[in-house]
Structures are given as structure tokens and as C-alpha cells.
Amino acid sequence: MHRKVIIIGSGPAGYTAAIYTARANLSPLVLGGTQSGGQLMITTDVENYPGFPDGIQGPELMEKFRKQAERFGAHVMDIDVTAVDFTVRPFVVRAGENMYSADSIIIATGANAKWIGLESELNLRGRGVSACATCDAFFFKGKNVYVVGGGDTAMEEAIFLSKFAKNVTVVHRRDSLRASKIMQKKAMSNPKISFLWNSEITNVLGEDRVTGVEIRNVIDGSKRVVPADGLFVAIGHEPNTILFRGHLETDARGYIVVTDRTRTNIEGVFAAGDVKDARYRQAVTAAGSGCEAALDLEKYLEEHHPEPVVESEIRNAAPAAPH
Ligand code: NAP
């Protein structure tokens, strides 16, 4: 089956690209993955997405994105892309048994936060365990929270959390931080932030909500349990680009390299959202980037795949015969 546009991914970037390309009459096919909707599907309250003054649940927001894309004719399929070939034109995208060709592609497969890998961490995700302070710090006003990690993200999360929480403790597995000096200085001079060195979280306690964490000293192996209201895991993110490695230029961390905001190194293939953005990682910035990719793609199609002029249009455009 041939399409003018295939969008791979169905988070805020993918659906926004779908809304814009559908409204441009490009009938996009969205291959959204079996777990469509992206990271917001595992988020509870979203309070920073503009337009929802009372907040909205992540899955509900994504359902609205999807409906809006479908309303204008986007075809969304909840299937995983299993292979791509960008060396041929039209491009080839395989999803299981299905094979598609496309004149242009938008990749919006997002990124995922890395987790420690504890069962208790998974069970309490969204109930005190989070990987996004910008999203969830507000719920920890006056609380006692722990942050895992020693990089810039961990410092940034700790500093942001300190505006709400009573105490923020950064737990780092070594005795020196990976974060930039300026971020280290900011975090270390913040009176609400303290550091636990050579330590790791080995368990998260709580039934319905986080009530404590178990901390292990990696030098002597000793463990202790401390009360906690929240645990923010800030040990990095991983872009979902395994499928594209070797097909597109990616940076050392696996993020797709773009020039001019959304253009990959292959003309006609665009990237939007967290898959190319290690910095902002917000639903609203991903949505904005999906819009940018759609507009860039429209321009590309106009230049490289112009609509064939229909005969009736030629006749209509022809000057009227003299009477
Ligand atoms: P990062 O630099 O890779 O740091 C990850 C941190 O998590 C490291 O301290 C690492 O410990 C720790 N870690 C990794 N796996 C762990 C595990 N399983 N258990 C416990 N700790 C673990 O990631 P990042 O902080 O997300 O930053 C990513 C990139 O974005 C960096 O280049 C950063 O500079 C940039 N960034 C910049 C800003 C800013 O400029 N405002 C903000 C955020 C991010 P080790 O140190 O022992 O390896």
C-alpha cells in the first residue's frame, strides 16, 4: 500500500504531525505501535498541558489527540514497525506482515526514561515514583522526596523539586557527580537539597503510595530503610531509535540528528519530539515539534512530489475560447 506520508509513533509529536498532515489532505498513515499514545499513557495527572485548566489524565489527553487526528482523516494503526528501508524511493516501512511504501516519513517514536529496574518501583509508578519532576513536583508540596542519579537531569530535577518539597535527597551510586560544575554548584548550595554518596535504592516501600525507600551503601553493603513520600528516578533517557540505527544519523546517545529543526540526513525523512530532543522532553514541546515536521514535510512534498494536475483543472484553467 502506498502513502504520501507515514508517521511512525503516536505520542504528542506523532498525533500532532497527523493532525497537520491530515488537514493538508495528505491522508497520513500513523503506525502508532501496539502501546500507542507514548509516555503520557503511563502518566496520571497532566497539569502543564495548556488548555486544560483543571488538568487531565495522560491517557485521556492522548485519546483526544487521536480523535482529533482521525477526525481529519488520519488512519491510525496500533501496530509496531519492525523494519524500514530508507535507501529506496519510495521509502519502505514494514510492520509485521504488512509492507507500506511512502513518499515521506515522520519519525516520532519518542524516548523512555530509564528506570532502576525494581519491581516495587514499577508497582508504585505514578503513585509516588516518577521520572519527571516538571510533571509531578507539584504533588509533593511540603513532602520528603528522594532523587536517584548524578547527572544534569538529577540536579535539575532536585532543584525543581526543592521549590515544592520540604527536603530533597539525591542518592548517587558514586562519590562524585557526573553533572556539569554549574549544576553541581546550584544543587549543592541549595539548603533544601542533601546528598547521599555511594548509595543506591534497593527497594521502594508502600502499598498505595510510596512511604519509604531502602538504601544500600555500595561500599560496605549495609542497608537501611528511611521514610519517603516520593522517589524521582533521573538516571537518563533512551530514545526509541534502535529500528533506525544504521539507516539514519544518530548521535552518541542514539538521538536522531536533525538540521533545520526536523530534517534528518535523509531527504524526505523527518523527526519530531523526544526522539530527537534530549533537552525539553515535554508533551507541549513534542506537539510543537510534530507541527514543525508536518509543515516541513508539506513543503518537501510540494517541491519533490507535486500533485499531478487533473485534466478537468487544466480545462477549467484554460482561457475561455473567443465567442
Ligand atoms: P547522564 O548524564 O547519563 O547521567 C545519568 C546519571 O545516572 C549518572 O550519574 C549515572 O551514574 C546515573 N545512573 C545511570 N544508571 C544508573 C542506575 N542504574 N542506578 C543508579 N544510577 C544510575 O544522564 P542525564 O543526567 O539525563 O543527562 C543526559 C544528557 O543531557 C547529558 O549530556 C546532560 O548534560 C544533558 N542535560 C543537560 C541539562 C542542562 O544543561 N540543563 C539538563 C539535563 C540533561 P554514574 O555517574 O555513576 O554513571
Side-chain angles (χ1 to χ4, degrees), residues 254-269:
Y255 287 87
I256 294 179
V257 174
V258 289
T259 51
D260 200 14
R261 302 179 77 88
T262 69
R263 289 168 202 275
T264 70
N265 64 314
I266 295 184
E267 209 182 13
V269 180

Side-chain angles (χ1 to χ4, degrees), residues 148-154 156 172-174 178 183 234-236 253:
V148 186
D152 279 331
T153 302
E156 211 168 53
H172 184 38
R173 63 186 178 183
R174 293 186 295 123
R178 180 179 295 278
M183 294 293 278
I235 59 175
R253 289 176 289 153

Side-chain angles (χ1 to χ4, degrees), residues 68-261:
Q68 195 172 349
E70 287 175 336
R71 183 178 144 217
F72 297 112
H75 182 197
V76 183
M77 294 177 76
D78 297 335
I79 52 176
D80 290 323
V81 170
T82 46
V84 293
D85 188 351
F86 298 151
T87 61
V88 292
R89 283 175 196 256
F91 302 121
V92 173
V93 177
R94 188 189 283 275
E97 300 286 286
N98 306 344
M99 184 103 105
Y100 303 95
S101 63
D103 294 329
S104 58
I105 306 270
I106 293 177
I107 297 170
T109 46
N112 287 324
K114 289 189 203 160
W115 297 94
I116 304 169
L118 304 167
E119 203 181 318
S120 52
E121 172 195 40
L122 180 64
N123 293 339
L124 288 162
R125 231 185 258 178
R127 291 183 289 142
V129 174
S130 169
C132 177
T134 318
C135 319
D136 297 329
F138 187 78
F139 305 113
F140 293 87
K141 272 186 186 162
K143 306 275 188 188
N144 179 25
V145 299
Y146 283 74
V147 174
V148 186
D152 279 331
T153 302
M155 298 308 107
E156 211 168 53
E157 301 273 278
I159 293 162
F160 191 73
L161 278 161
S162 73
K163 295 178 184 156
F164 302 87
K166 187 170 64 178
N167 303 303
V168 181
T169 310
V170 176
V171 180
H172 184 38
R173 63 186 178 183
R174 293 186 295 123
D175 63 359
S176 65
L177 295 169
R178 180 179 295 278
S180 55
K181 290 282 174 277
I182 184 158
M183 294 293 278
Q184 293 194 24
K185 204 172 156 201
K186 268 190 194 167
M188 286 179 167
S189 61
N190 185 315
K192 278 193 182 174
I193 301 176
S194 53
F195 289 80
L196 268 183
W197 304 106
N198 299 313
S199 300
E200 59 184 16
I201 302 286
T202 42
N203 202 3
V204 193
L205 290 90
E207 291 291 321
D208 298 326
R209 285 209 64 79
V210 171
T211 56
V213 288
E214 182 184 71
I215 300 169
R216 178 176 168 272
N217 181 308
V218 297
I219 308 275
D220 61 17
S222 61
K223 285 185 179 178
R224 65 194 171 106
V225 168
V226 293
D229 301 304
L231 175 69
F232 283 78
V233 181
I235 59 175
H237 283 76
E238 219 161 12
N240 296 318
T241 52
I242 289 178
L243 198 59
F244 309 111
R245 308 242 173 115
H247 297 270
L248 283 177
E249 194 186 340
T250 51
D251 68 14
R253 289 176 289 153
Y255 287 87
I256 294 179
V257 174
V258 289
T259 51
D260 200 14
R261 302 179 77 88

Side-chain angles (χ1 to χ4, degrees), residues 32-86:
T34 43
Q35 294 184 321
S36 64
Q39 292 180 79
L40 282 187
M41 297 302 278
I42 54 158
T43 308
T44 50
D45 301 280
V46 179
E47 297 199 318
N48 56 6
Y49 200 87
F52 298 92
D54 301 321
I56 183 166
Q57 296 289 299
E60 196 190 339
L61 179 60
M62 293 326 295
E63 189 53 36
K64 285 182 188 291
F65 268 75
R66 180 175 181 146
K67 271 199 187 138
Q68 195 172 349
E70 287 175 336
R71 183 178 144 217
F72 297 112
H75 182 197
V76 183
M77 294 177 76
D78 297 335
I79 52 176
D80 290 323
V81 170
T82 46
V84 293
D85 188 351
F86 298 151

